[in-house]
Amino acid sequence: MAESVVLDPVDLHLLRLLQNDARTTYRDLAAQVGVAPSTCLDRVTRLRRSGVILGHQLRLDPAKLGRGLQALLSVQVRPHRRELVGPFVERIRALPEARSVFHLTGPDDYLVHVAVADPADLQRLVLDEFTARREVARVETRLIFQQWECGPLLPPGHAQS
C-alpha cells in the first residue's frame, strides 16, 4: 500500500480548489490561499511529484456523445487466476464503452462501469464482449438512473469546507 503524504492546511486548501476547478491559474490559487504565486507553483509541483495529484482530466457528458445509458456490470471470472487478471482487464479497458474497471473481493471479481447508446447496445456489449469470453462465468447488469459527484477527496480527519 502506498505511503500517505503529509499535507499542511495550505496544501489541503490548494487540493480543494484544484478539485473544484483544475484550470484555476496559479495566480488565482495563490490569492485564494494567501501565498505568493511562486510558492503556489512550488507546492502544486511538489504535490504532483509526490503522486498526490495524478493528472488532469476532461469530463464529458456521455449522453451528449450518444452514450445516454450507463450501467454497472458485476462480472465473475472462473478460474480467477493471476494469469487471467491482466489480459481480462486490458481487454475491458480497451472497450470504448468502458468507463472504469474495479477488481473486487466477494462473489463478483470485477465491477465495470459502461456507457452505451441504448438497451440493444448494452445487450450486444454483454453478449459479445463479456459472456462470449470463456473465463466469464456470470454477468449481472445494473442500470444507472442518476449519478452525483461528491466533494473533494481529502485525508481522513480533514473536514470538507
Side-chain angles (χ1 to χ4, degrees):
M1 186 167 252
E3 279 188 41
S4 62
V5 175
V6 177
L7 303 171
D8 67 16
V10 172
D11 293 329
L12 293 170
H13 196 177
L14 286 169
L15 291 173
R16 278 188 198 101
L17 294 169
L18 286 169
Q19 285 182 80
N20 287 329
D21 184 359
R23 297 181 308 160
T24 305
T25 66
Y26 290 117
R27 180 176 301 184
D28 290 342
L29 283 172
Q32 291 180 61
V33 174
V35 298
S38 60
T39 301
C40 182
L41 174 62
D42 290 344
R43 284 180 174 261
V44 172
T45 299
R46 181 179 52 80
L47 291 167
R48 280 194 187 104
R49 284 192 182 132
S50 66
V52 173
I53 297 175
L54 298 176
H56 306 278
Q57 293 182 335
L58 182 67
R59 292 179 43 228
L60 304 174
D61 182 343
K64 301 255 167 96
L65 297 174
R67 296 182 181 277
L69 181 64
Q70 295 187 64
L72 296 172
L73 307 179
S74 299
V75 182
Q76 190 178 69
V77 174
R78 292 294 173 257
H80 189 196
R81 293 196 314 248
R82 183 173 295 281
E83 61 268 14
L84 292 176
V85 169
F88 179 80
V89 170
E90 289 311 308
R91 175 65 192 130
I92 299 311
R93 290 184 67 210
L95 295 172
E97 298 89 352
R99 307 307 312 132
S100 55
V101 182
F102 301 91
H103 192 192
L104 309 171
T105 63
D108 297 316
D109 300 312
Y110 299 95
L111 184 64
V112 184
H113 177 196
V114 298
V116 295
D118 53 36
D121 195 25
L122 180 59
Q123 181 183 30
R124 177 206 50 80
L125 178 69
V126 169
L127 293 176
D128 295 347
E129 300 295 343
F130 285 88
T131 60
R133 297 183 63 88
R134 288 190 324 193
E135 69 271 23
V136 173
R138 183 178 58 79
V139 176
E140 285 187 17
T141 303
R142 291 171 179 83
L143 297 181
I144 298 173
F145 291 135
Q146 196 167 0
Q147 178 181 353
W148 294 269
E149 295 294 326
C150 297
L153 179 65
L154 298 173
H158 292 85
Q160 303 290 344
S161 60

